[in-house]
Amino acid sequence: MIKKIGLYDSGVGGLSVVRAIRRALPGADMVYTGDTCHVPYGEKPFSEILEYSRGISAFLAGKDIDALVIACNVSSAVACGYLLETYPGMPVISMIECGAALCGGSGSVGVLATEGTVKSGAYPAALSAAGFRGAVAQEACPEFVPIVEGNLLGTAFCREACRRHCQKVAGADTVILGCTHYPLMLEAIREFLPKSRIADPAEEAARRLLEIGAEGGGRLEAYTTGDREQFEKTASLFVPGIKARRLVWKEGRLEEDN
Ligand code: DGL
């Protein structure tokens, strides 16, 4: 039985995973870190993303978590190996593996993701490891994270970005939302993928945790390395009324800003 789940992302996106876990396991206690001062991760060198993953996971480990969800696809692609090695015995859930697990029975798969996730090749590799032998089309969507973080949902800019980026994957049986920010754009994306099944890896992450089981009071402790008020405003779209505390980076370590 899990007592406290740690999660992290570059910003508010990982809260789409918090939301999915809450639906499946309302009693789960969670601690979340959004590294908003470094968003977007998707365009950064992998070595930098690994450094951030090191610092954040150490902070979360200090909060007595007993399960870790890498609520960020590009961090899952880059840091999963490191995290599994560093926290032996702790369940570590990767968005990439979860996404790939949702594609059984599909003849073709599309992946909408950040540039880093696409470049890493992690989705084609995970799909192949899961036994998938069909065609995989990947599309990098650099505008999507700024649309979510910048509250541009529902704008003409958002619709146009969705139209453009969905073209390449529109024929796929299943399209994976390969970035945790994208579930917030689901309606806008769906308009341009009328025939595809849309897979959100967060659902699989929640299912895996449900299998292990979690007990607690349904508490959520949230932290941001960016502007607290801005974070709370955007994060409320995923988790209404969310309150956050601020963290600061000091020589590769995260400290609470009291
Ligand atoms: N939400 C993250 C992901 O799932 C990262 C987005 C970004 O910061 O580029 O990949």
Side-chain angles (χ1 to χ4, degrees):
M1 205 53 103
I2 297 166
K3 295 219 161 17
K4 204 195 260 183
I5 305 165
L7 308 96
Y8 75 92
D9 179 45
S10 60
V12 297
L15 290 167
S16 65
V17 188
V18 167
R19 185 176 63 179
I21 295 170
R22 274 194 157 173
R23 279 185 197 138
L25 285 153
D29 284 335
M30 292 185 257
V31 49
Y32 180 84
T33 299
D35 191 14
T36 324
C37 78
H38 291 133
V39 72
Y41 276 10
E43 286 151 38
K44 293 200 162 49
F46 293 166
S47 55
E48 217 173 295
I49 297 169
L50 185 57
E51 272 315 300
Y52 300 149
S53 296
R54 277 204 179 107
I56 299 170
S57 60
F59 172 75
L60 291 172
K63 293 280 168 193
D64 293 328
I65 59 165
D66 51 5
L68 178 62
V69 178
I70 317 171
C72 168
N73 287 258
V74 71
S75 302
S76 298
V78 170
C80 189
Y82 162 80
L83 294 168
L84 283 166
E85 230 171 72
T86 310
Y87 302 102
M90 187 185 295
V92 173
I93 295 185
S94 145
M95 286 297 115
I96 308 272
E97 265 183 38
C98 288
L102 292 172
C103 296
S106 301
S108 54
V109 168
V111 180
L112 296 174
T114 63
E115 196 186 315
T117 297
V118 169
K119 268 196 196 149
S120 74
Y123 265 113
L127 283 160
S128 158
F132 178 76
R133 297 288 171 261
V136 182
Q138 299 196 88
E139 171 76 359
C141 313
E143 300 90 348
F144 284 13
V145 169
I147 283 172
V148 173
E149 292 284 339
N151 269 324
L152 296 173
L153 292 159
T155 61
F157 177 72
C158 171
R159 189 167 184 272
E160 173 52 23
C162 290
R163 189 196 61 74
R164 195 154 27 86
H165 289 302
C166 286
Q167 276 171 0
K168 188 168 167 190
V169 299
D173 294 339
T174 301
V175 173
I176 301 173
L177 298 179
C179 169
T180 53
H181 282 74
Y182 300 178
L184 207 54
M185 301 175 65
L186 182 59
E187 271 180 43
I189 291 171
R190 207 198 291 277
E191 182 186 346
F192 300 103
L193 298 174
K195 296 198 182 106
S196 306
R197 187 171 69 92
I198 299 182
D200 179 358
E203 301 297 332
E204 173 64 12
R207 197 196 60 75
R208 289 183 181 195
L209 289 166
L210 187 60
E211 237 171 53
I212 306 172
E215 59 184 8
R219 285 172 287 265
L220 173 64
E221 210 177 314
Y223 296 90
T224 175
T225 60
D227 182 79
R228 198 178 49 77
E229 280 179 20
Q230 175 62 37
F231 177 87
E232 287 176 350
K233 193 171 159 214
T234 315
S236 296
L237 298 171
F238 287 113
V239 180
I242 187 170
K243 291 281 167 231
R245 286 153 77 180
R246 212 177 110 73
L247 297 176
V248 286
W249 282 104
K250 279 192 188 144
E251 292 163 13
R253 294 165 59 89
L254 279 175
E255 289 176 13
E256 292 186 46
D257 189 20
N258 296 312

